[in-house]
Amino acid sequence: MRKSVITQGFSEPLKGEIIAPPDKSMSHRSLIIGSLTRGKIKISNFLAGADCLATLEILKELGCEIDFLDKNTVILDAENAYNAPKKDLYCGNSGTTMRLMAGLLSAQKFKSTLSGDLSLSKRPMRRIIEPLTLMGARLKSNDGKAPIVIEQGELKGIEYRSPIASAQVKSGLLLAGLQTPNGATTVLEPHLSRDHTERMLKFFGSNIQSFTKEGLYGVTVSQSTLIPKDLNVAGDISSAAFIMAAAAIIKGSDVILKNIGLNPTRTGLIDVMKRMKANIDVLNCDLVSNEEVGDIRIQYSPDMEGCEISGDIIPRLIDEIPIIALLATQAKGETIIKNAGDLKNKESDRIACVERELRKFRAEIKGTDDGFIISGKNSGNGLFLGDTEVECYHDHRIAMTGYVAGLISKKPCKINDFEWVETSFPDFLNIFEKLKGNF
Ligand code: S3P
């Protein structure tokens, strides 16, 4: 059902302590890699958002038994996995589901078809189809796009130099490699993308090594038996990002976010906010299920400065760029974001859509081939009038960015198709209302 949300103009300060919503990337992997143990495990702090539920339904169709003990606790029993599916495997809006499942399914002895929604059906799948084909998998697609039909192939390990840093591609290949008796599989990437798959495979006892070679980041996996174990998913820094940014730009705010995943391949936003001179502190670090977690305190930050964001840091904050673009409009000076061309291939073309939507607030933002140039507060940008309607293009992160822009606008704003936020952050509005002191 389509749903619009109206922000009421200048928000009251955000105050209080909340638990960060569960991590989407790790929730997908907890089910997928958990199922490869062929055992029974409990997954705590699982994200029951639309994307992860698409992965869950696919695994059920493949013969896993999955039950919820409560909203965020799942019992996965994969003793009978995997069976031939009786219908197409629908990935919804989720690129992670499609690219990781393509790897897992390439090693099965049955035929399967992965399909997706309108947005996912436009996204590039050659990046995973080509290397899986080099491994001996048999995949057919609609000219490099979904649906992907996967037939039984004879897999062998390869060394693959990925032209892009993509955790989805890397993970798809590792999941195929893990099930391949014929040699080890190595993936090399130009920058280090998120390494949750590697960490989770290690957590379940697989034979996997990470290394650097010739300036590239590598990982090698060989066939291994995984040992079932209960797992705890960390909080999602990519969802927390919207609260962190809002607290930094709404006058008088002071928020503590607890249990956020602080895996260094995901914490580029914290580095950038520190560089921008935001008031941000990281507290109470710990290691849970082989992932760093901790708390973040973030306070109103009126003296933020623009900066350049490029190179190795890009994969560490790729999903946070829409909200970083908004932060940059509230910082003094110019912010330049470069080397982020893959933003065009996300749930929407995030370069075009972020530029178009933030301009409605009169932000001085220009999309480039691989990022943005944003002029900050000193050029008068900081004062958002609002009184506008934001479109989200089937993209949860554009909707949430529009909402936060509404909170610093003078007049009300309407964010259309807000139901897309269910993809990654179903509790978004409740958490914001709580931080505004409304219940
Ligand atoms: C993800 C990897 C990233 C990220 C996406 C989630 C993952 O995509 O943007 O939201 O869970 O592996 P790419 O692999 O395309 O960079």
Side-chain angles (χ1 to χ4, degrees), residues 310-330:
S310 59
D312 258 357
I313 200 167
I314 294 295
R316 299 180 53 229
L317 47 66
I318 186 75
D319 291 340
E320 289 67 81
I321 291 178
I323 192 69
I324 289 174
L326 174 62
L327 267 184
T329 67
Q330 303 305 304

Side-chain angles (χ1 to χ4, degrees), residues 356-376:
R356 186 176 314 132
E357 296 311 304
L358 288 185
R359 279 190 177 201
K360 291 181 180 170
F361 292 86
R362 297 178 179 63
E364 272 183 52
I365 174 167
K366 190 176 162 347
T368 63
D369 222 30
D370 66 349
F372 298 97
I373 301 170
I374 303 155
S375 307

Side-chain angles (χ1 to χ4, degrees), residues 24-26 28-29 96 99-100 123 127 164-169 171 193-194 196-197 318-319 342 345-347 350 397:
K24 179 158 82 73
S25 290
M26 288 185 225
H28 282 297
R29 286 161 172 80
T96 306
R99 296 187 180 122
L100 269 61
R123 295 178 65 184
R127 55 181 64 194
I164 47 168
S166 162
Q168 294 177 354
V169 170
S171 302
S193 66
R194 65 191 66 189
H196 303 305
T197 298
I318 186 75
D319 291 340
D342 211 32
N345 298 315
K346 297 294 175 187
E347 286 83 331
R350 286 191 179 151
R397 299 196 208 279

Side-chain angles (χ1 to χ4, degrees), residues 94-163:
S94 173
T96 306
T97 308
M98 186 165 281
R99 296 187 180 122
L100 269 61
M101 289 307 304
L104 183 138
L105 291 166
S106 287
Q108 309 309 321
K109 292 190 170 26
F110 50 74
K111 183 175 170 182
S112 53
T113 301
L114 292 165
S115 64
D117 73 3
L118 207 68
S119 147
L120 186 55
S121 303
K122 289 186 195 152
R123 295 178 65 184
M125 291 300 149
R126 273 210 177 94
R127 55 181 64 194
I128 184 70
I129 292 173
E130 279 179 5
L132 283 173
T133 305
L134 291 174
M135 289 179 77
R138 292 173 58 214
L139 303 125
K140 282 190 213 118
S141 68
N142 177 19
D143 199 18
K145 308 267 163 70
I148 304 177
V149 179
I150 304 168
E151 288 185 70
Q152 187 185 346
E154 193 66 42
L155 297 192
K156 59 176 190 309
I158 57 165
E159 178 179 292
Y160 182 65
R161 289 177 184 241
S162 177

Side-chain angles (χ1 to χ4, degrees), residues 244-265:
M244 290 160 65
I249 60 183
I250 297 172
K251 212 171 179 170
S253 297
D254 187 355
V255 172
I256 292 184
L257 282 148
K258 301 197 71 90
N259 192 40
I260 298 196
L262 295 175
N263 176 322
T265 61

